[in-house]
């Protein structure tokens, strides 16, 4: 799977997630194309954030 290459791609995908969250809900079937797109993009964003914006433990 392709990874997010830079902050510009990251920002674009975060904006796309916001759009998809308006049409995908808890009742959206997992076979719905918007659900699938949201699932894939979310995984890419999480991977990018873990590599480039890690959250430090509070302790």
């Amino acid at each position: 799977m392709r990874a997010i290459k830079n902050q510009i791609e990251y920002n674009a995908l975060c904006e796309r997630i916001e759009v998809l969250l308006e049409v995908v809900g808890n009742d959206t079937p997992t076979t719905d194309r918007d659900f699938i797109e949201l699932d894939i993009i979310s995984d890419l964003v999480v991977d990018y954030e873990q590599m480039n914006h890690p959250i430090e433990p509070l302790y």
Side-chain angles (χ1 to χ4, degrees):
M1 182 179 282
R2 184 184 184 285
I4 298 173
K5 295 179 183 177
N6 54 49
Q7 190 69 33
I8 294 170
E9 289 183 0
Y10 170 79
N11 291 341
L13 291 176
C14 286
E15 289 177 17
R16 182 65 184 149
I17 286 172
E18 291 297 321
V19 171
L20 289 168
L21 285 173
E22 293 179 14
V23 296
V24 175
N26 292 335
D27 58 338
T28 304
T30 57
T31 55
D32 181 89
R33 59 190 309 170
D34 291 326
F35 180 93
I36 294 167
E37 182 181 0
L38 178 60
D39 189 43
I40 292 169
I41 292 173
S42 296
D43 288 345
L44 290 171
V45 167
V46 167
D47 291 345
Y48 182 84
E49 289 175 342
Q50 288 176 341
M51 294 296 296
N52 297 283
H53 305 289
I55 299 174
E56 299 296 326
L58 296 175
Y59 51 92

